[in-house]
């Protein structure tokens, strides 16, 4: 019977490999680029004390949340669309501008959900690998964008999994010269301190993805937002489900933006811990460590598969990236709590001895 049902599958789904997310609460989780710190003191209590009518549908336009975001990013609420995590917004963008007969340009290695969203929306994918696995190949991306089938380019900045921060002039050249929708995924912008938000007023074809999952420690609530000119945002809003973001997540997002000072302290600590990990890994013989402007580090040990298992046996869950273009078999770790990072480096030193 299963085989008969599989015959009914869309071809795109038949080829799809699901995104694999490990869930091992018994481990120190360093594989998902999360903020390891708890919410600022008092925020959880305020959220639970809020009079949220769970028997009613949420505000489908997320008006209060959009107003709070607008103050944070210094844009008008009309230029903001909120989503059930950035993943939903990526899919909405491709439902709007992609689809059958259309193509998306990406720069592997990069975030795997772009590929998955493309398949789900029947959007073809053109890959322009990063130069040396780290740098945008602007010329080849522009060449790819000349195809009439290409409607969207996605730039992840800083890039996941490499941590690379691409020069703003390179991205703006793609925006100016491609003539296509350019999506800049700034999931880690709070750590890099770099953003193209001030450029949104100048380009109708530029949109920016942001998330509450990383710096704001809300990965469990799934909340992201899309920024662009109001006319562009209106187009994407046409394919959005009416009540796509639940009431609890909306309220949590509003509260988080009231605790910016506390979150800034966490961000500075995470950046400091990331640098300590970078220095510690760089001191390990035989390990190649790549510079990062995010809250995670990509590195290449002598045997990535063995290291993954050895770290797991010691209680550390890290991301095995497999075979990356140009870079080879790498691991990615996000900065944990200070004491966790100390223990991680001890574990790595122990692994290296054997």
């Amino acid at each position: 019977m299963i085989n008969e049902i599989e015959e009914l599958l869309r071809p795109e789904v038949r080829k799809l490999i699901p995104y694999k997310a490990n869930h091992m609460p018994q481990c120190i989780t360093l594989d998902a680029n999360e903020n390891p710190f708890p919410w600022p003191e008092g925020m959880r209590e305020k959220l639970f004390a809020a009079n949220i009518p769970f028997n009613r549908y949420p505000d489908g336009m997320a008006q209060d949340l959009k107003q709070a975001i607008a103050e944070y990013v210094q844009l008008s609420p009309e230029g903001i669309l909120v989503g059930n995590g950035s993943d939903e917004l990526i899919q909405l963008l491709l439902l709007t501008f992609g689809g059958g007969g259309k193509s998306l340009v990406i720069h592997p290695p990069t975030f795997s959900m772009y590929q998955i969203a493309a398949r789900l929306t029947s959007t073809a994918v053109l890959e322009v690998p990063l130069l040396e696995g780290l740098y945008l190949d602007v010329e080849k991306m522009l060449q790819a964008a000349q195809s009439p089938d290409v409607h969207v380019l996605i730039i992840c900045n800083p890039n996941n999994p490499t941590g690379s921060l691409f020069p703003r002039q390179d991205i703006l050249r793609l925006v100016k010269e491609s003539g296509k929708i350019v999506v800049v995924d700034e999931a880690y912008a709070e750590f890099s301190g770099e953003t193209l938000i001030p450029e949104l007023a100048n380009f109708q074809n530029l949109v920016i993805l942001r998330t509450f999952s990383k710096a704001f420690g809300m990965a469990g609530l799934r909340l992201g937002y899309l920024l662009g000119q109001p006319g562009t945002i209106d187009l994407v809003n046409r394919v959005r489900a009416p009540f796509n973001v639940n009431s609890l997540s909306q309220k949590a997002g509003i509260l988080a933006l009231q605790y910016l000072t506390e979150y800034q302290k966490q961000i500075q600590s995470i950046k400091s811990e990331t640098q300590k990990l970078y220095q510690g890994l760089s001191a390990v013989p035989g390990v190649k460590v790549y510079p990062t402007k995010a809250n995670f580090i990509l590195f290449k040990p002598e045997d990535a598969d063995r290291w993954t298992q050895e770290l797991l046996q010691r209680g550390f869950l890290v991301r095995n990236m497999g075979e990356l273009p140009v870079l080879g078999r790498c691991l990615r770790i996000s900065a944990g709590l200070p004491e966790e990072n100390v223990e991680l480096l001890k574990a790595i030193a122990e692994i290296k001895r054997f």
Side-chain angles (χ1 to χ4, degrees):
M1 184 61 180
I2 294 297
N3 289 336
E4 294 177 12
I5 294 174
E6 287 180 354
E7 291 300 317
L8 304 177
L9 276 173
R10 289 171 49 214
E12 296 86 357
V13 177
R14 187 174 292 116
K15 299 175 184 176
L16 193 64
I17 299 174
Y19 183 93
K20 184 179 180 182
N22 294 308
H23 182 66
M24 296 183 177
Q26 73 277 16
C27 292
I28 294 173
T29 305
L30 304 175
D31 71 324
N33 305 342
E34 301 152 325
N35 179 340
F37 290 99
W39 285 3
E41 186 176 353
M43 182 176 148
R44 183 187 299 268
E45 289 74 15
K46 280 189 178 181
L47 178 61
F48 292 161
N51 186 22
I52 301 173
F54 290 118
N55 60 317
R56 304 296 183 186
Y57 286 109
D59 173 8
M61 298 303 294
Q63 297 170 90
D64 291 343
L65 175 57
K66 286 201 288 188
Q67 183 59 49
I69 294 171
E71 294 172 9
Y72 174 53
V73 298
Q74 297 296 292
L75 293 176
S76 71
E78 291 74 25
I80 301 168
L81 184 70
V82 299
N84 184 26
S86 296
D87 294 348
E88 183 198 24
L89 293 167
I90 294 164
Q91 192 164 332
L92 292 181
L93 283 163
L94 293 181
L95 283 170
T96 306
F97 300 108
K102 310 298 187 300
S103 297
L104 160 71
V105 177
I106 60 173
H107 54 74
T110 192
F111 185 37
S112 61
M113 284 305 299
Y114 306 145
Q115 283 267 14
I116 293 174
R119 282 196 181 276
L120 289 175
T121 57
S122 300
T123 307
V125 175
L126 295 180
E127 297 186 350
V128 179
L130 294 177
L131 293 169
E132 300 177 36
L134 298 172
Y135 311 106
L136 280 180
D137 192 336
V138 178
E139 297 299 335
K140 286 191 177 178
M141 292 192 81
L142 284 172
Q143 288 175 20
Q146 289 177 6
S147 168
D149 294 342
V150 170
H151 281 206
V152 183
L153 294 80
I154 299 184
I155 315 296
C156 188
N157 198 46
N159 185 44
N160 176 14
T162 63
S164 308
L165 184 69
F166 305 128
R168 63 188 299 114
Q169 62 266 26
D170 286 354
I171 301 174
L172 288 176
R173 187 179 169 205
L174 292 169
V175 175
K176 294 173 185 176
E177 299 182 23
S178 71
K180 307 301 170 69
I181 297 293
V182 177
V183 183
V184 182
D185 188 343
E186 293 188 349
Y188 304 96
E190 280 85 4
F191 301 107
S192 72
E194 296 287 336
T195 180
L196 286 178
I197 289 175
E199 300 290 346
L200 287 171
N202 302 322
F203 304 103
Q204 191 176 19
N205 64 321
L206 172 64
V207 292
I208 294 174
L209 284 166
R210 286 293 194 92
T211 183
F212 283 86
S213 295
K214 306 303 180 183
F216 290 101
M218 289 172 50
L221 287 179
R222 313 307 302 123
L223 184 62
Y225 55 99
L226 182 70
L227 306 174
Q229 291 191 8
T232 308
I233 294 299
D234 281 343
L235 296 176
V236 184
N237 190 49
R238 294 181 186 182
V239 301
R240 179 183 61 85
F243 306 106
N244 61 322
V245 178
N246 68 76
S247 299
L248 187 68
S249 294
Q250 288 189 36
K251 183 62 176 178
I254 294 167
L255 284 173
L257 294 172
Q258 296 172 6
Y259 284 84
L260 283 176
T261 300
E262 290 83 351
Y263 274 114
Q264 282 298 330
K265 292 177 183 176
Q266 292 187 2
I267 290 166
Q268 290 306 313
S269 178
I270 290 169
K271 289 170 67 173
S272 175
E273 289 300 311
T274 303
Q275 286 307 303
K276 289 178 184 177
L277 284 175
Y278 179 85
Q279 292 166 4
L281 284 166
S282 298
V284 179
V287 174
K288 171 68 175 176
V289 190
Y290 298 96
T292 182
K293 288 293 184 179
N295 65 327
F296 57 83
I297 297 171
L298 185 74
F299 67 101
K300 183 178 180 179
E302 293 164 334
D303 187 338
D305 294 338
R306 182 179 77 83
W307 276 52
T308 302
Q309 291 305 313
E310 293 280 359
L311 286 168
L312 188 60
Q313 290 173 12
R314 290 163 174 80
F316 295 94
L317 183 61
V318 302
R319 183 76 172 180
N320 188 335
M321 301 306 304
E323 190 75 23
L324 296 178
V326 181
L327 302 180
R329 301 192 70 82
C330 295
L331 301 182
R332 190 196 67 200
I333 56 169
S334 43
L337 296 170
E339 59 272 21
E340 294 172 342
N341 298 329
V342 169
E343 292 304 312
L344 174 67
L345 290 175
K346 288 181 181 177
I348 287 173
E350 184 177 294
I351 292 168
K352 185 62 182 174
R353 283 200 299 270
F354 293 100

